[in-house]
Amino acid sequence: MTVDVTVVGGGISGFACARAVQDAGGTARVIDRGRRPGGRLASRTIDGRAVDLGASYFVVGDDERFARVVAGWETRGIARPWTDTFSAFDADGTETRKSGRMRWAAPAGSRSLVLDLADGVDVESGREVERVAPYRVDGKDAGEVVLAMPEPQARRLGHGIPVAPQDWEPVLAVVLRWEKRRWSADLHGAFVNGDPDVAFIADDGDRRGDGAPVLVVHTTGGAARMYLDDPDAAVAPVVAATRRLLRIDAEPVATHAHRWTFARPARATGEPFFRSPGLSLCGDAWGQSPAVRTAWASGDALGRALAAS
């Protein structure tokens, strides 16, 4: 049976779109190539523990609709306020503390946010879509088609998608585990300025609230491009930089590197989404600034617009 809307891409924007359609009385399904929904909010089980590999945190911002969703997550224990203070390291190791908006995290991993949105949505996981066109997916009727993914990936699925090409930055997420914590208890997270390999360090045990001696380090775009074909080769320079910056006197006991070829858009479009008859796009590039809240708001706005039509 053909549904009103078929969303290709099982990240937060895709499920926000599908939920908005269903909340308005329409029918929607989501097709995702992964075994489980998540997109760039993916978590991976490493040494028996889920580790966040994608977005390091999210900020609620000023969107009242997203704020209501987050309030529900908090009430049900799916999300929690994490910290309003991060460190900033210069390349020489000088550390300063900077406070700002509250950053939020998910105790069970960021994927749990997407799984919550996916509850009650028709999902087809593990399917690789080969071709899309207005109102059609792989040659079959699909209702309105939504591509909830980075524009370079969307363009591979259909020639003539009428949007301007977008530049995206790659990132490698490197997981480092020690046998015990060897850094300051109030580290939380740290931006790194001027280092060729490391851009951000997250204390995953602090972020998740279980105290695990695990750091997740995001590389610079330059390092990601250098090691994109061999992510494991980035582990050694990332370990060296992390140990130097945090003054850790031992090697990690386990490491893991994950490649994000399209991690974040170089800039946002300023528009909430792209819509054309039968084929639309949404995601964190469609808004004022790339962020988790932008991805949700883009999918939600597009879903409401499609339902209204």
Side-chain angles (χ1 to χ4, degrees):
M1 181 180 69
T2 301
V3 295
D4 296 322
V5 177
T6 296
V7 179
V8 183
I12 192 169
S13 63
F15 280 104
C17 181
R19 288 295 290 261
V21 171
Q22 293 189 172
D23 289 347
T27 57
R29 66 169 173 163
V30 174
I31 300 174
D32 188 49
R33 66 181 180 180
R35 290 180 298 173
R36 298 179 68 202
R40 280 172 287 137
L41 290 184
S43 308
R44 177 168 180 154
T45 300
I46 299 175
D47 297 333
R49 177 183 178 275
V51 180
D52 281 333
L53 298 175
S56 296
Y57 56 86
F58 69 91
V59 173
V60 176
D62 301 322
D63 188 318
E64 293 184 359
R65 291 178 60 83
F66 185 53
R68 288 197 294 271
V69 171
V70 175
W73 285 339
E74 183 180 19
T75 298
R76 289 175 284 127
I78 297 172
R80 71 181 185 96
W82 174 26
T83 181
D84 64 356
T85 302
F86 278 163
S87 297
F89 286 98
D90 292 332
D92 63 1
T94 301
E95 179 183 5
T96 56
R97 296 291 175 93
K98 296 183 178 181
S99 296
R101 285 184 166 183
M102 177 60 67
R103 282 84 168 188
W104 289 66
S110 294
R111 188 195 299 272
S112 65
L113 306 178
V114 180
L115 292 176
D116 182 70
L117 293 175
D119 186 36
V121 176
D122 180 17
V123 183
E124 183 179 356
S125 297
R127 175 182 168 186
E128 189 82 38
V129 169
E130 297 180 357
R131 181 77 175 172
V132 298
Y135 306 107
R136 301 182 72 80
V137 172
D138 289 336
K140 297 182 178 180
D141 291 341
E144 291 276 355
V145 178
V146 172
L147 300 181
M149 61 185 67
E151 180 274 331
Q153 292 178 316
R155 194 168 295 278
R156 295 173 183 173
L157 298 181
H159 297 299
I161 292 179
V163 298
Q166 298 170 0
D167 293 327
W168 284 68
E169 283 282 309
V171 167
L172 302 181
V174 181
V175 181
L176 308 176
R177 180 175 68 83
W178 280 262
E179 79 289 350
K180 64 179 181 180
R181 297 172 66 84
R182 294 177 175 272
W183 51 89
S184 172
D186 60 352
L187 172 68
H188 308 307
F191 295 103
V192 181
N193 303 310
D195 187 90
D197 298 306
V198 171
F200 184 76
I201 302 170
D203 184 334
D204 199 58
D206 183 72
R207 171 170 61 186
R208 297 277 302 283
D210 64 0
V214 175
L215 299 175
V216 178
V217 183
H218 285 187
T219 67
T220 62
R225 283 186 286 272
M226 182 181 301
Y227 299 113
L228 202 58
D229 293 333
D230 185 13
D232 288 339
V235 171
V238 165
V239 168
T242 303
R243 288 186 58 192
R244 173 176 54 81
L245 291 167
L246 302 187
R247 296 178 173 84
I248 298 174
D249 60 1
E251 289 286 313
V253 297
T255 64
H256 174 80
H258 182 86
R259 172 177 53 217
W260 295 106
T261 304
F262 304 109
R264 55 176 174 251
R267 64 190 62 83
T269 65
E271 300 296 328
F273 51 77
F274 170 80
R275 184 181 176 197
S276 65
L279 184 60
S280 303
L281 280 74
C282 64
D284 56 334
W286 298 95
Q288 297 303 315
S289 61
V292 171
R293 65 184 183 276
T294 303
W296 181 90
S298 175
D300 178 67
L302 177 57
R304 287 185 286 120
L306 292 174
S309 67

